[in-house]
Amino acid sequence: GNSVTQMEGPVTLSEEAFLTINCTYTATGYPSLFWYVQYPGEGLQLLLKATKADDKGSNKGFEATYRKETTSFHLEKGSVQVSDSAVYFCALSEGTGAQKLVFGQGTRLTINP
Amino acid sequence: NAGVTQTPKFRILKIGQSMTLQCTQDMNHNYMYWYRQDPGMGLKLIYYSVGAGITDKGEVPNGYNVSRSTTEDFPLRLELAAPSQTSVYFCASTSPDRVYYNEQFFGPGTRLTVL
């Protein structure tokens, strides 16, 4: 079946540091890929997405590129802020039928001032 | 638009009690989902619905039931609560009209503890 594997957390960085959170996937067909973010006490919200190979999703300074050859969708940000502290989830969807999402286990990110 | 709303926000149940978690969306989305999030884990799909009157099991359906009588509402029922059902429950919805951009919109969650 389809699955998503994220780098284990938690991750703690200083403000303005470079961020990478690794995500790899296993899927049949051609999935769409997503990063969702969960701020403390809130539900998940979409951060960025990519629907086909070599697509780059970007939002709020975060970027991720859909790499079919390495089945990866790593999340990056050049300079993190304290407000980026949250849990980040990588997910995939086949994009057809019921459009169910399969999530990775999440990576808790803490940014210290 | 309020988006996806869930009630209650918190609940403590005793083993064997039953309850219904409510979920309502006002975006006219046909597709709705229930997930559970255990500590340190990703979300796992419990049940989903592609329209009123149509529901199907997800990855972890045991111990739960759902119904979908309207487009707006998708309640999740726990009949005999067990400690293993202690979790945070999220409801989500999406529209099939956006096939290649199927962002799911999530509610704020219900934190359930079974003692």
Side-chain angles (χ1 to χ4, degrees), chain A residues 32 34 36 38 41-46 49 51 87 89 93-106, chain B residues 31 33 35 37 40-43 45 48 50 57 90 94-96 98-109:
Chain A
S32 295
F34 306 85
Y36 279 83
Q38 184 181 28
E42 299 184 9
L44 280 72
Q45 54 187 274
L46 181 68
K49 57 87 179 176
T51 57
V87 181
F89 293 94
S93 169
E94 287 284 331
T96 59
Q99 301 181 355
K100 294 178 283 184
L101 286 174
V102 175
F103 286 89
Q105 73 269 35
Chain B
Y31 291 4
Y33 311 84
Y35 297 91
Q37 182 184 26
M41 305 290 288
L43 281 69
L45 183 64
Y48 65 97
V50 298
K57 295 177 181 178
F90 289 101
T94 193
S95 168
R98 304 170 80 181
V99 170
Y100 297 107
Y101 182 82
N102 51 326
E103 172 185 1
Q104 290 188 13
F105 294 84
F106 285 78

Side-chain angles (χ1 to χ4, degrees), chain A residues 4-6 21-25 33-36 72-74 88-92 102-107:
Chain A
V4 176
T5 302
Q6 286 181 238
I21 300 178
N22 290 339
C23 171
T24 58
Y25 67 91
L33 301 174
F34 306 85
W35 278 99
Y36 279 83
S72 65
F73 193 54
H74 305 322
Y88 292 82
F89 293 94
C90 186
L92 69 79
V102 175
F103 286 89
Q105 73 269 35
T107 301

Side-chain angles (χ1 to χ4, degrees), chain A residues 10-82:
Chain A
V11 174
T12 302
L13 295 172
S14 297
E15 207 165 20
E16 300 183 1
F18 183 85
L19 169 70
T20 300
I21 300 178
N22 290 339
C23 171
T24 58
Y25 67 91
T26 302
T28 56
Y30 302 95
S32 295
L33 301 174
F34 306 85
W35 278 99
Y36 279 83
V37 59
Q38 184 181 28
Y39 297 105
E42 299 184 9
L44 280 72
Q45 54 187 274
L46 181 68
L47 179 61
L48 53 84
K49 57 87 179 176
T51 57
K52 60 183 186 295
D54 299 324
D55 264 2
K56 177 185 283 189
S58 61
N59 186 26
K60 300 181 180 180
F62 291 90
E63 292 183 339
T65 301
Y66 189 151
R67 301 284 188 202
K68 192 168 184 291
E69 64 275 13
T70 55
T71 62
S72 65
F73 193 54
H74 305 322
L75 182 68
E76 296 182 336
K77 186 173 185 183
S79 176
V80 293
Q81 306 300 313
V82 172

Side-chain angles (χ1 to χ4, degrees), chain B residues 16-45:
Chain B
Q17 287 186 320
S18 62
M19 76 165 293
T20 298
L21 283 67
Q22 302 291 346
C23 174
T24 300
Q25 53 90 11
D26 61 0
M27 297 174 282
N28 201 34
H29 286 167
N30 284 343
Y31 291 4
M32 296 186 74
Y33 311 84
W34 274 106
Y35 297 91
R36 59 178 286 173
Q37 182 184 26
D38 298 329
M41 305 290 288
L43 281 69
K44 293 192 182 299
L45 183 64

Side-chain angles (χ1 to χ4, degrees), chain B residues 2-94:
Chain B
V4 180
T5 57
Q6 292 182 239
T7 56
K9 288 190 181 349
F10 305 94
R11 183 73 185 268
I12 298 175
L13 282 182
K14 294 182 179 178
I15 294 172
Q17 287 186 320
S18 62
M19 76 165 293
T20 298
L21 283 67
Q22 302 291 346
C23 174
T24 300
Q25 53 90 11
D26 61 0
M27 297 174 282
N28 201 34
H29 286 167
N30 284 343
Y31 291 4
M32 296 186 74
Y33 311 84
W34 274 106
Y35 297 91
R36 59 178 286 173
Q37 182 184 26
D38 298 329
M41 305 290 288
L43 281 69
K44 293 192 182 299
L45 183 64
I46 305 171
Y47 270 95
Y48 65 97
S49 169
V50 298
I54 306 170
T55 63
D56 207 348
K57 295 177 181 178
E59 184 182 355
V60 289
N62 291 346
Y64 307 94
N65 279 301
V66 293
S67 59
R68 184 96 181 270
S69 57
T70 66
T71 299
E72 295 77 20
D73 301 306
F74 189 40
L76 177 72
R77 177 107 180 133
L78 284 71
E79 289 295 349
L80 290 170
S84 60
Q85 293 177 305
T86 294
S87 190
V88 181
Y89 292 83
F90 289 101
C91 180
S93 71
T94 193

